[in-house]
Amino acid sequence: ARSQVVEAESLRALGYAHEVLSRSEATLDQMDASLDKLQAFEAADPCSESQLMVMREMDLASSYIQAIGYVADDVLICSSLGRSVGSLPLGKEDYISWEGVRGRTDVTFPFVPDQKFLVFEKNGYAVIINKDLPIDIATLGDDVSLAAFSPVAARLFAQKGFLKTEWTSVFGKRNEIMLLDSGYVVAVAKSQRFEMGAIAALPMSYVDRKAAELALLLVPLGGMGGLLFVIAFLYCARVQQSMPAMIRNELKRKEYFLEYQPIVENR
């Protein structure tokens, strides 16, 4: 029962990881499309009204992007948020991807101090993403841990619940893996298109509870199966001991032989 439940919960965790990965890939697709379009419409002044209009249009058309802007010297000079917000310091990047994307994973803004954002910058233009969006999926319970991360930088972009950074580097040559570690059923999936991975971890308490429930079902079934087996065995034994069966077995063992007895008729 426990083995079956571990397999089922591992597949459930892998499903969660792929869902997080799918949302992360969709976010990066929108980011690439937006940055490419800004590069194509690049103006002499990246903060001109025409360029800001392009930023607003792409911002409204994107389901995962909160804002788009222009960055210089680690400062968001202008953005689709409007000129009223002014310049916003972003801080140094946390990592640089193979494609030259500068990633910042814990950016805060004064108008929402309790919320952290992801900022991905390339060639001066940047997109701002809410950190909770990639992991905002429906799960079996609130104690399911989720994360989106960079396999290259071994850095978590977004996370919820208990997670170990060691889980970001367990792939080897595989694109997905399932394991049991630290009291969790863990599934890790890696994107084949981006430098992106996703983690989902379910507490072993899920396994213990469901294994007990399954055992309560399997034990009576096993008992009934055992009883039926005993009945069948006794029936077969009885059949084997019946006279026709005994004769057949004795014939196979060649235990019968002929005896000739003279027949005498007295007159």
Side-chain angles (χ1 to χ4, degrees):
R2 186 177 182 82
S3 177
Q4 289 184 12
V5 171
V6 166
E7 182 179 359
E9 293 305 296
S10 296
L11 292 174
R12 185 193 302 275
L14 186 61
Y16 290 155
H18 277 293
E19 192 170 349
V20 171
L21 189 61
S22 177
R23 293 176 69 90
S24 300
E25 289 179 335
T27 301
L28 294 179
D29 280 332
Q30 291 184 8
M31 178 193 77
D32 285 347
S34 298
L35 296 182
D36 289 345
K37 188 173 182 179
L38 281 170
Q39 291 293 322
F41 287 91
E42 188 172 11
D45 179 7
C47 291
S48 64
E49 283 301 323
S50 61
Q51 199 72 336
L52 287 176
M53 183 63 69
V54 174
M55 293 180 190
R56 294 189 192 102
E57 289 176 357
M58 289 187 295
D59 184 359
L60 291 173
S62 302
S63 53
Y64 293 110
I65 296 174
Q66 269 64 60
I68 302 172
Y70 179 76
V71 177
D73 298 325
D74 298 323
V75 176
L76 188 68
I77 304 299
C78 59
S79 70
S80 57
L81 296 171
R83 295 188 183 277
S84 59
V85 300
S87 298
L88 300 169
L90 301 175
K92 295 295 293 183
E93 72 275 359
D94 296 310
Y95 76 97
I96 300 176
S97 74
W98 290 335
E99 297 178 343
V101 176
R102 295 154 58 99
R104 297 172 175 86
T105 58
D106 288 298
V107 178
T108 58
F109 297 110
F111 44 86
V112 278
D114 298 330
Q115 181 68 57
K116 292 186 177 181
F117 295 86
L118 303 169
V119 178
F120 296 112
E121 174 199 346
K122 185 177 182 181
N123 297 328
Y125 290 100
V127 296
I128 301 171
I129 301 165
N130 190 310
K131 288 191 69 167
D132 293 335
L133 280 178
I135 57 174
D136 186 20
I137 66 171
T139 59
L140 191 64
D142 295 334
D143 51 354
V144 176
S145 301
L146 301 169
F149 69 94
S150 166
V152 177
R155 176 179 290 273
L156 299 173
F157 292 147
Q159 67 181 97
K160 179 181 76 171
F162 173 80
L163 291 152
K164 294 174 65 175
T165 55
E166 291 87 347
W167 293 343
T168 63
S169 56
V170 296
F171 291 106
K173 295 183 178 180
R174 291 171 289 184
N175 289 321
E176 61 184 39
I177 191 169
M178 296 176 286
L179 66 150
L180 303 180
D181 186 40
S182 303
Y184 283 83
V185 179
V186 183
V188 190
K190 182 172 62 174
S191 173
Q192 299 185 50
R193 299 193 296 122
F194 297 102
E195 296 174 24
M196 177 68 66
I199 301 171
L202 280 63
M204 284 298 292
S205 59
Y206 282 41
V207 173
D208 297 336
R209 183 176 67 252
K210 292 189 176 183
E213 293 173 354
L214 186 57
L216 289 175
L217 175 64
L218 292 180
V219 168
L221 290 177
M224 292 177 62
L227 180 60
L228 291 174
F229 175 78
V230 170
I231 293 172
F233 176 81
L234 292 175
Y235 173 78
C236 290
R238 184 176 179 181
V239 169
Q240 288 292 327
Q241 294 302 316
S242 65
M243 183 59 70
M246 291 175 65
I247 293 174
R248 283 194 296 270
N249 290 332
E250 290 164 355
L251 283 171
K252 290 179 181 178
R253 293 195 295 267
K254 298 182 179 181
E255 294 180 355
Y256 289 99
F257 57 91
L258 291 175
E259 289 285 355
Y260 293 94
Q261 180 178 354
I263 299 175
V264 179
E265 181 180 356
N266 293 324
R267 292 182 184 271

